[in-house]
């Protein structure tokens, strides 16, 4: 076996344990565990400053961030989303009685194709959720133009994109709002957590109320809400991880470079690149097998697992092929040829602060040698 311990996609990036302990001591001293505690407020201010947005409303996870943002934007009827995303993007709509309508992606970028999105607009469409898949910016200008032309709300699922930018502007400030995930497997984690970020004061206020049952004041509820609050201990994790973000970035970039060097001249796969090779979170190492070997994708993943490399097939087979959508919309796939192509040839490889550049080199060389051997069969 190549590695004695498993190498994962999504092993948590961890900041300073001693600083985390110090912050937790403070939580015990104050006896203040949740409900807009001082660490949550500090984290919100620091994230808003980092992203250059007016408001950061932290919540318990990225899914509840989506649900609250969808509610606060007043989305109803049908909302257009890419099928090639994590299932939470679709579920957050369905959970609230809204129909997710699946658009196709661009084969090169893996992000939603605005022309496909346009083709699904009906009188029932109330909005579009663009996803910055793998942290690479969705076509924000094109989607904004589409939303403006048809009077639709535009929300971005930026679960993968914390710390990334587009055209010199941090992701987090596009559309009416964006949502973030701070799940353990994300580049920046708060154990579990998430946030809604926006420059819209009214929307921010609404989402703040919604995450706390709709309470405006003691004994005063102004509309239906939920319990989506982030706890102090999660915020403590966020604060220490924010301080280590430069290290997380640097390691991911080194790892990406290491994979890039091995894969550079390969005819059997393409490594997805980021806009900037020297900035951004580089949290996903995504390879796309060439058509000549893509039929061996699952075999490659199995071979990697036998070497203790826990590669993933994200986001196969596409949301439209998962329940309940598969039964509800059995013919959705007809309009999603690029989703099918990409979902069948992608493999996501380990990175993160627990993976070293030399591990990446060895994984990369193993991948190429396996692909060569399949091609020769
Ligand atoms: N929108 C998008 C586009 C998303 O990708 C996500 C979440 C969301 C919205 C919703 O955000 P959250 O509600 O989750 O905040 C994972 C994550 O659970 C999920 O957060 C993430 N996207 C998705 C892409 O990946 P799984 O099922 O692949 O994760 P899991 O549990 O298999 O973990 C991956 C690997 O990480 C494991 O092999 C082991 C390792 N790991 C995991 C955890 C939790 C650790 O080493 N330590 C840990 O604590 O979904």
């Amino acid at each position: 076996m190549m590695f004695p311990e498993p190498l994962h996609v999504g092993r948590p990036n961890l900041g300073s344990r001693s600083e985390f302990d110090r912050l937790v001591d403070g939580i015990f001293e104050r006896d203040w565990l949740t409900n807009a505690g001082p660490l949550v407020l500090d984290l919100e201010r620091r994230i808003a400053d980092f992203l250059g947005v007016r408001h950061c409303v932290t919540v318990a996870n990225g899914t509840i961030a989506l649900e609250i943002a969808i509610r606060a934007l007043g989305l109803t009827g049908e909302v257009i989303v890419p099928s090639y995303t994590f299932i939470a993007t679709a579920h957050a709509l369905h959970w609230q009685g809204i129909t997710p309508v699946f658009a196709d992606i661009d084969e090169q970028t893996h992000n939603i194709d605005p022309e496909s999105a346009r083709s699904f607009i009906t009188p029932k469409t109330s909005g579009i959720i663009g996803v910055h898949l793998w942290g690479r910016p969705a076509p924000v200008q094109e989607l904004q133009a589409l939303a403006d032309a048809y009077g639709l709300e535009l929300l971005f699922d930026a679960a993968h994109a914390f710390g990334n930018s587009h055209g010199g502007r941090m992701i987090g400030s596009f559309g009416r709002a964006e949502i973030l995930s701070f799940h353990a497997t994300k580049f920046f984690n708060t154990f579990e957590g998430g946030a809604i970020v926006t420059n819209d004061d009214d929307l921010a206020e609404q989402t703040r109320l919604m995450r706390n049952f709709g309470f405006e004041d003691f004994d005063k509820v102004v509309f239906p809400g939920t319990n989506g609050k982030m706890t102090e201990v999660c915020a403590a994790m966020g604060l220490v991880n924010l301080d280590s973000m430069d290290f997380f970035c640097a390691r991911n970039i080194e790892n990406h470079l290491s994979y890039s060097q091995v894969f550079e001249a390969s005819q059997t796969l393409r490594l997805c690149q980021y806009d900037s090779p020297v900035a951004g979170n580089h949290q996903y190492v995504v390879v796309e097998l060439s058509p000549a070997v893509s039929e061996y994708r699952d075999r490659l993943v199995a071979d990697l697992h036998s070497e203790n490399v826990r590669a993933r097939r994200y986001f196969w087979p596409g949301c439209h092929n998962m329940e309940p959508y598969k039964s509800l919309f059995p013919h959705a796939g007809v309009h999603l040829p690029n989703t099918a192509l990409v979902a069948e040839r992608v493999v996501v490889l380990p990175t993160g602060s627990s993976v070293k550049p030399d591990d990446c080199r060895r994984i990369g060389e193993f991948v190429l040698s396996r692909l060569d051997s399949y091609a020769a069969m």
Side-chain angles (χ1 to χ4, degrees), residues 8-12 62-63 86 157 159-160 181 183 185-186 312 314:
H8 294 278
V9 173
R11 195 83 169 153
T63 306
F86 187 59
D157 178 338
H160 300 174
S181 165
H183 182 253
T185 55
K186 292 295 184 299
R312 300 294 296 259
Y314 292 141

Side-chain angles (χ1 to χ4, degrees), residues 6-12 60-66 84-90 92 131-134 157-160 179-186 189 191-195 284 305 310-312 314-315 354:
L7 292 187
H8 294 278
V9 173
R11 195 83 169 153
N61 56 62
T63 306
I64 200 115
L66 276 167
Y84 195 58
T85 176
F86 187 59
I87 197 69
T89 320
V131 180
H132 304 296
L133 204 83
W134 316 131
D157 178 338
H160 300 174
I179 74 90
L180 299 161
S181 165
F182 306 145
H183 182 253
T185 55
K186 292 295 184 299
N189 85 83
F191 295 106
E192 288 268 8
Y284 291 94
H305 282 217
R310 303 287 163 87
R312 300 294 296 259
Y314 292 141
F315 290 103
S354 63

Side-chain angles (χ1 to χ4, degrees), residues 244-260:
S244 292
M245 254 186 4
D246 288 349
F247 165 69
F248 303 152
C249 261
R251 172 56 64 81
N252 275 359
I253 288 170
E254 274 182 284
N255 285 346
H256 209 270
L257 194 64
S258 183
Y259 282 116
S260 293

Side-chain angles (χ1 to χ4, degrees), residues 259 262-272 286-290 293 300 345 349 364 367-368 371:
Y259 282 116
V262 180
F263 294 146
E264 209 166 31
S266 172
Q267 302 293 312
T268 49
L269 60 74
R270 174 176 82 95
L271 173 67
C272 294
V286 181
V287 296
E288 219 179 302
L289 305 193
S290 71
V293 290
L300 174 65
R345 56 194 190 198
L349 298 172
V367 166
L368 290 186
L371 290 178

Side-chain angles (χ1 to χ4, degrees), residues 192-318:
E192 288 268 8
I196 299 140
V197 284
T198 181
N199 283 316
D200 184 317
D201 297 349
D202 293 338
L203 190 71
E205 186 52 22
Q206 266 201 330
T207 58
R208 270 195 195 99
L209 294 170
M210 281 181 173
R211 76 170 165 189
N212 187 27
F213 313 101
F215 271 108
E216 194 178 62
D217 204 345
F218 281 128
D219 308 328
K220 188 175 174 202
V221 171
V222 287
F223 46 62
T226 184
N227 182 355
K229 300 185 298 290
M230 177 181 275
T231 65
E232 283 289 272
V233 76
C234 289
M237 186 68 152
L239 288 167
V240 299
N241 285 341
L242 267 189
D243 287 337
S244 292
M245 254 186 4
D246 288 349
F247 165 69
F248 303 152
C249 261
R251 172 56 64 81
N252 275 359
I253 288 170
E254 274 182 284
N255 285 346
H256 209 270
L257 194 64
S258 183
Y259 282 116
S260 293
Q261 282 162 353
V262 180
F263 294 146
E264 209 166 31
S266 172
Q267 302 293 312
T268 49
L269 60 74
R270 174 176 82 95
L271 173 67
C272 294
Q273 297 293 345
Y274 289 89
D275 280 356
S276 163
V278 292
N281 71 34
H282 287 68
Q283 177 70 357
Y284 291 94
V285 174
V286 181
V287 296
E288 219 179 302
L289 305 193
S290 71
V293 290
S294 61
E295 66 184 288
Y296 300 109
R297 191 273 303 267
D298 293 356
R299 184 157 173 191
L300 174 65
V301 170
D303 286 350
L304 283 163
H305 282 217
S306 359
E307 299 294 335
N308 244 341
V309 178
R310 303 287 163 87
R312 300 294 296 259
R313 299 182 297 181
Y314 292 141
F315 290 103
W316 182 85

